[in-house]
Amino acid sequence: MNFGSEYSLIRKIIPKKSGIYKIFNIITKQIYYGSSHDLRTRFYNHRRNLINLNHSNLHLQNSYKKHGISNFYFEILEFVDKEMLLDKEQKYLDNCDKNNVFNICFIAGNTAGVKMSDKCKKAMRLASMTHI
């Protein structure tokens, strides 16, 4: 599903199911792997944050600013029971080319519902800028 797609099409194609997904830049071929209890809502959140230039993953945000929304795709890799999400996501992270992904952390985790302080957000931003 292209990030520039219309909302009515997104609602028809992306189900409100749990699963593993990737965000793919068709120009650089870089990938972001993630998991979610609700794939449709997760798509909307990624899209909104990229458009508003406040995505928490600065590598992904900078690529979006450079290449534009029409060059990003959201693909559901598999539907997974909620209790198995992190295990499945970890398998994708373990087998990916670490030089060709947007992911900053290679340990699957879930920060849903966790409020980070401004100090913590700043530290994460700085860490992502120095990530090699």
Side-chain angles (χ1 to χ4, degrees), residues 48-104:
R48 181 188 66 240
N49 291 336
L50 288 169
I51 290 169
N52 291 331
L53 302 178
N54 66 355
H55 199 283
S56 61
N57 184 309
L58 294 180
H59 300 301
L60 183 59
Q61 184 68 70
N62 288 335
S63 185
Y64 165 83
K65 286 192 309 194
K66 183 175 182 179
H67 300 288
I69 198 165
S70 62
N71 291 307
F72 284 85
Y73 283 80
F74 183 94
E75 180 182 337
I76 298 169
L77 298 173
E78 62 180 299
F79 296 109
V80 179
D81 290 334
K82 292 176 183 178
E83 55 276 351
M84 296 300 297
L85 277 175
L86 295 181
D87 290 337
K88 287 286 191 173
E89 180 183 357
Q90 188 62 54
K91 287 181 181 176
Y92 282 95
L93 292 171
D94 289 344
N95 293 309
C96 72
D97 174 0
K98 301 212 180 351
N99 296 312
N100 200 39
V101 294
F102 293 113
N103 294 70
I104 296 167

Side-chain angles (χ1 to χ4, degrees), residues 22-38:
K22 73 178 182 180
I23 297 172
F24 182 68
N25 179 323
I26 62 172
I27 294 174
T28 66
K29 310 297 186 219
Q30 287 177 289
I31 296 171
Y32 174 88
Y33 291 101
S35 63
S36 178
H37 289 200
D38 179 344

